Amino acid sequence: MTPIALAGWLSQAGLRNVPLEELVDGFGRRLNDTGMRVERLFVGMNTLHPMIRARSLIWDAAEGVNQHFEIAHSEIDSTQIRSSPFAVMLRDGIGERRCRLDTNEALPDVPVFEELRTAGMTEWIGWVQPFGELSPQVGSPTEVEHAERLWLVFSASTNRSGGFRDEDVSCLREVLPVFAVAVKATSLRGIGHGLLAAYLGNDPASRVLSGTVLRGEAQSVEAVVLFTDLRGFTALADTMPGRELIALLDDYFNCMVEPVVRRDGEVLKFMGDGMLAAFGVVFPDRAEVCAAALAAAEEVLARVDALNVERRAAGQPATALDISLHIGRVLYGNVGSDTRLDFTVIGPAVNEASRIEALCEPLGQALLVSQAFAEAATASRDRLVSLGRHHLRGVREDTELFGLAG
């Protein structure tokens, strides 16, 4: 295959949004079809994700793409990252770097070079390709990233005696920009989905990206609605410095989110000190979905209890959490104005879940579930106990509420 043919294939792959793993695998195999001997490729890029600073993968000639890595923001200052051959390149604005591995000379203090030499590689060559107008850089764990400071890092390693030939390097230099454009085309969708998912939730992000964007476009679905609220938050907000208050909210939201997401619930929004989540119900799995939602709620409360112990031991303010669970039909989709939309659930079931949560403190319960939920949760009914009938604000008839048995 000629470099021109390879560039043509890359262009078409980018236009068709070929998945990254498939793109890298095809690129590696086609590089070798040009007569090159590439044994290993490394591809990495930053993400603009609030939790993940960068993602990378490794391809080798024998197995294809066989390793994936995710680097959290907190890990960007780790020894492993700072000792990467790309760290110096990003810091000093170096676009290309080569290192022979088959000589008797001491290698630079880069652990991966010794690893590659041990594996029989004879030369490593790496590039940094900017994806925006600003110079790429690694930055600190707390430094805000910029959409115009995206970058791609790429390296190729060979075990050919004497390292890469001049024609190999020329070919790589010729096709790498096209490869970078193809990677950018396919990765920007992933970056966009990651950002949308961080703010909307995974399922709403997928729906928005697939075209569910018209105002008023919604579907009626049955769902378990989970509603949470911190007790006494207004008093805390009046007495705590702003940064400490945000840190407190982050601590408690950490307790709430992971148990819900792990059980296929969607966190739809944070409302001040509260959270709205939903678990989609598919007949005939109502009991299973209710069991998952109940288990998530119980785990949330256990995590909050553990967090409160830690915060009090550290002399920090702590508070309780109230949770309600209800099941019913909701409208799931776009609500808002013609310039600002929210992807959420609305309907009487959501309102009732909110009203039920408001009774947690008066009834001395951290978790309340509705009569409808208790009736649907046939697999979990023995874990619930009736607390009698109660009036919900704005609801005509009194309803029976349930708490956790014991």
Side-chain angles (χ1 to χ4, degrees):
M1 174 173 280
T2 65
I4 293 177
L6 177 51
W9 178 83
L10 287 169
S11 300
Q12 289 300 313
L15 289 170
R16 292 185 290 109
N17 286 330
V18 168
L20 181 61
E21 290 79 3
E22 184 180 337
L23 178 66
V24 174
D25 183 59
F27 185 49
R29 290 186 288 104
R30 285 168 174 82
L31 282 174
N32 285 333
D33 287 344
T34 67
M36 208 176 299
R37 188 184 297 171
V38 175
E39 288 298 313
R40 171 167 145 156
L41 299 177
F42 176 90
V43 179
M45 66 203 75
N46 54 346
T47 66
L48 290 182
H49 194 279
M51 301 302 295
I52 301 167
R53 174 63 68 90
R55 290 188 173 95
S56 60
L57 56 83
I58 291 176
W59 173 93
D60 71 47
E63 299 181 17
V65 176
N66 59 5
Q67 295 184 64
H68 292 80
F69 306 93
E70 288 189 346
I71 303 165
H73 288 275
S74 59
E75 298 171 326
I76 205 68
D77 271 338
S78 66
T79 301
Q80 180 183 6
I81 300 304
R82 291 298 177 182
S83 62
S84 162
F86 296 110
V88 174
M89 299 174 69
L90 287 164
R91 184 192 66 202
D92 297 340
I94 300 171
E96 180 181 317
R97 182 182 182 185
R98 298 178 67 174
C99 182
R100 287 292 296 271
L101 307 170
D102 57 349
T103 67
N104 293 325
E105 297 179 7
L107 293 174
D109 188 19
V110 177
V112 72
F113 288 162
E114 188 58 48
E115 174 191 329
L116 292 171
R117 173 185 276 180
T118 301
M121 300 299 111
T122 57
E123 187 174 6
W124 175 95
I125 183 168
W127 285 270
V128 172
Q129 178 67 55
F131 275 174
E133 296 178 357
L134 302 179
S135 298
Q137 62 185 41
V138 174
S140 69
T142 57
E143 185 172 342
V144 177
E145 293 196 286
H146 195 289
E148 290 299 322
R149 192 165 267 145
L150 294 172
W151 43 257
L152 169 78
V153 293
F154 171 85
S155 71
S157 302
T158 184
N159 60 5
R160 184 191 294 276
S161 178
F164 286 110
R165 303 168 302 178
D166 291 343
E167 56 264 39
D168 298 335
V169 178
S170 295
C171 176
L172 285 168
R173 288 172 178 162
E174 183 176 345
V175 299
L176 181 61
V178 189
F179 173 72
V181 170
V183 170
K184 183 177 182 180
T186 191
S187 63
L188 281 182
R189 179 180 175 87
I191 290 173
H193 184 276
L195 280 172
L196 282 174
Y199 287 93
L200 299 179
N202 189 60
D203 183 67
S206 297
R207 290 173 183 266
V208 169
L209 284 174
S210 67
T212 308
V213 295
L214 297 179
R215 182 171 60 152
E217 187 175 0
Q219 63 180 125
S220 176
V221 297
E222 186 178 33
V224 172
V225 178
L226 182 148
F227 199 94
T228 75
D229 192 58
L230 289 173
R231 288 188 191 177
F233 180 77
T234 301
L236 288 173
D238 288 340
T239 58
M240 292 182 66
R243 288 187 177 276
E244 292 182 19
L245 187 67
I246 294 298
L248 176 144
L249 282 174
D250 287 344
D251 281 348
Y252 283 98
F253 284 139
N254 275 338
C255 295
M256 301 179 210
V257 171
E258 201 275 338
V260 170
V261 173
R262 184 157 37 85
R263 293 174 175 85
D264 296 327
E266 285 289 343
V267 175
L268 296 171
K269 64 171 62 180
F270 299 109
M271 301 165 292
D273 59 318
M275 183 182 81
L276 172 64
F279 297 76
V281 175
V282 179
F283 186 81
D285 298 327
R286 299 176 86 233
E288 294 179 16
V289 174
C290 288
L294 183 61
E298 290 184 282
E299 184 179 343
V300 168
L301 291 174
R303 288 182 173 220
V304 167
D305 287 343
L307 173 63
N308 284 338
V309 170
E310 293 177 7
R311 291 186 63 88
R312 292 186 179 110
Q316 298 173 319
T319 187
L321 180 72
D322 294 330
I323 302 178
S324 65
L325 290 170
H326 182 42
I327 187 171
R329 297 206 72 81
V330 298
L331 287 174
Y332 181 47
N334 292 293
V335 178
S337 74
D338 55 356
T339 59
R340 177 66 171 86
L341 294 172
D342 189 15
F343 204 106
T344 187
V345 290
I346 60 171
V350 180
N351 298 334
E352 288 185 39
S354 174
R355 305 291 189 263
I356 292 169
E357 180 277 321
L359 292 179
C360 284
E361 187 172 5
L363 295 180
Q365 301 290 320
L367 173 64
L368 287 176
V369 307
S370 68
Q371 178 178 342
F373 181 93
E375 291 173 352
T378 54
S380 312
R381 189 64 181 81
D382 59 340
R383 293 160 61 192
L384 302 174
V385 60
S386 175
L387 301 174
R389 298 185 68 81
H390 298 271
H391 177 70
L392 302 181
R393 182 168 59 88
V395 178
R396 180 179 302 175
E397 296 183 3
D398 290 351
T399 184
E400 188 174 10
L401 298 180
F402 293 77
L404 286 173

